[in-house]
């Protein structure tokens, strides 16, 4: 049972532009969502989260939007930088502490 | 402050063998979760340990087992290895069961 789906395996964006990474979920019963990013040979690192009672959460260049009616969330990175190039995972979190990962989207930011 | 460490970084085993992977949690963290990431997939939850007790398990067979020690470090044991067990195994520690999880770099296991 895939709790979250990332349908785009890759995204390429020019430096300075906006990166938009998308994620869909199938289960209406959720607690919160998170985004993690992963560089090669490193473990995933926490980026930003959003609870079910919010529509938006912002942290510097990173903003996550939650559209409950569409069961969709997105991560916006503005402006994108070459150091943002990584695999981005959309996750669902639960009160049990389990994390359910999407398949990930490889973001490439080129100069 | 030392982050989450895992050992070994890589290993190769043959079908039917047993393997033990190790994880040292971040200082002060009492919860450890294990994930399996197959090629081209997102990490899948295996199980979580909280204060030395198993606290939830994903859809993995009993040949996947674990331990958490009094210092909160943890082991993942896999018996009767199968080819499909080839994957990156990630360990994550946290201050509690639902707190932010901090991941180690993983152990890459290849089963031949």
């Amino acid at each position: 049972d895939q709790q979250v789906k990332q349908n785009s395996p890759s995204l390429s964006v020019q430096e300075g532009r906006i990166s938009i990474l998308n994620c869909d979920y199938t289960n209406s019963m959720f607690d919160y969502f998170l985004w993690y990013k992963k560089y090669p040979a490193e473990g995933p690192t926490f980026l930003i989260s959003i609870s079910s009672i919010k529509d938006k959460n912002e942290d510097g260049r990173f903003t996550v939007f939650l559209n409950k009616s569409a069961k969709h969330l997105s991560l916006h990175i503005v402006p994108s930088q070459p150091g943002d190039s990584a695999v981005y995972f959309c996750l669902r979190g639960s009160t049990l502490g389990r994390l359910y990962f999407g398949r990930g989207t490889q973001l490439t930011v080129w100069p | 402050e030392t982050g989450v460490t895992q050992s070994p970084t890589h290993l190769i085993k043959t079908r039917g063998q047993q393997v033990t992977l190790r994880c040292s949690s971040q200082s002060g963290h009492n919860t450890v979760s294990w994930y399996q990431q197959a090629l081209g997939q997102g990490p899948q939850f295996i199980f979580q340990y909280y204060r030395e007790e198993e606290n939830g398990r994903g859809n993995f067979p009993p040949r996947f087992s674990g331990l958490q020690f009094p210092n909160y470090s943890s082991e993942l044991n896999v018996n009767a290895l199968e080819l499909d067990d080839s994957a990156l195994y990630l360990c994550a520690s946290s201050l509690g069961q639902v707190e932010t999880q901090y991941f180690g770099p993983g152990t890459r296991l290849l089963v031949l």
Side-chain angles (χ1 to χ4, degrees):
Chain A
D1 178 25
Q2 197 170 352
Q3 304 276 345
V4 290
K5 292 184 179 180
Q6 295 176 260
N7 294 316
S8 298
S10 63
L11 174 68
S12 183
V13 171
Q14 188 176 22
E15 180 179 7
R17 302 263 183 152
I18 184 171
S19 295
I20 301 177
L21 297 109
N22 294 301
C23 178
D24 297 308
Y25 60 93
T26 56
N27 190 337
S28 295
M29 299 297 292
F30 61 87
D31 303 295
Y32 58 100
F33 291 100
L34 312 92
W35 287 91
Y36 272 67
K37 69 177 181 181
K38 185 179 185 301
Y39 295 115
E42 295 182 12
T45 57
F46 171 76
L47 197 55
I48 192 169
S49 64
I50 187 167
S51 74
S52 59
I53 62 173
K54 290 190 172 184
D55 299 322
K56 174 183 173 181
N57 189 26
E58 193 171 355
D59 184 3
R61 297 186 297 115
F62 302 91
T63 303
V64 56
F65 295 92
L66 179 60
N67 184 332
K68 301 179 195 61
S69 60
K71 295 185 180 179
H72 179 85
L73 69 156
S74 60
L75 174 68
H76 293 210
I77 306 174
V78 183
S80 301
Q81 300 173 353
D84 295 330
S85 297
V87 176
Y88 287 78
F89 290 104
C90 169
L91 294 81
R92 176 204 158 192
S94 73
T95 53
L96 297 174
R98 308 178 184 193
L99 298 179
Y100 298 91
F101 283 75
R103 291 191 175 188
T105 298
Q106 171 68 57
L107 172 66
T108 302
V109 181
W110 47 281
Chain B
E1 184 178 279
T2 306
V4 178
T5 60
Q6 293 186 242
S7 62
T9 56
H10 298 80
L11 76 165
I12 301 174
K13 292 284 188 177
T14 56
R15 267 188 310 176
Q17 284 189 311
Q18 178 266 343
V19 70
T20 297
L21 310 181
R22 294 177 176 82
C23 171
S24 291
S25 58
Q26 191 165 314
S27 177
H29 288 188
N30 57 19
T31 304
V32 171
S33 304
W34 286 92
Y35 296 82
Q36 180 198 64
Q37 185 180 12
L39 198 61
Q41 305 292 321
Q44 300 288 312
F45 175 77
I46 303 175
F47 42 56
Q48 183 183 79
Y49 279 84
Y50 173 66
R51 293 187 174 181
E52 303 180 58
E53 297 286 332
E54 186 178 293
N55 179 49
R57 188 180 183 91
N59 189 26
F60 282 82
R63 58 190 185 84
F64 285 77
S65 63
L67 281 173
Q68 188 177 30
F69 300 99
N71 66 355
Y72 302 130
S73 66
S74 178
E75 286 183 355
L76 165 65
N77 299 290
V78 187
N79 294 321
L81 283 167
E82 301 177 0
L83 297 179
D84 285 348
D85 295 333
S86 295
L88 178 67
Y89 288 85
L90 294 162
C91 161
S93 75
S94 54
L95 277 170
Q97 297 161 309
V98 293
E99 300 298 325
T100 301
Q101 295 187 18
Y102 296 83
F103 284 81
T107 294
R108 188 162 296 281
L109 171 65
L110 177 61
V111 182
L112 301 175

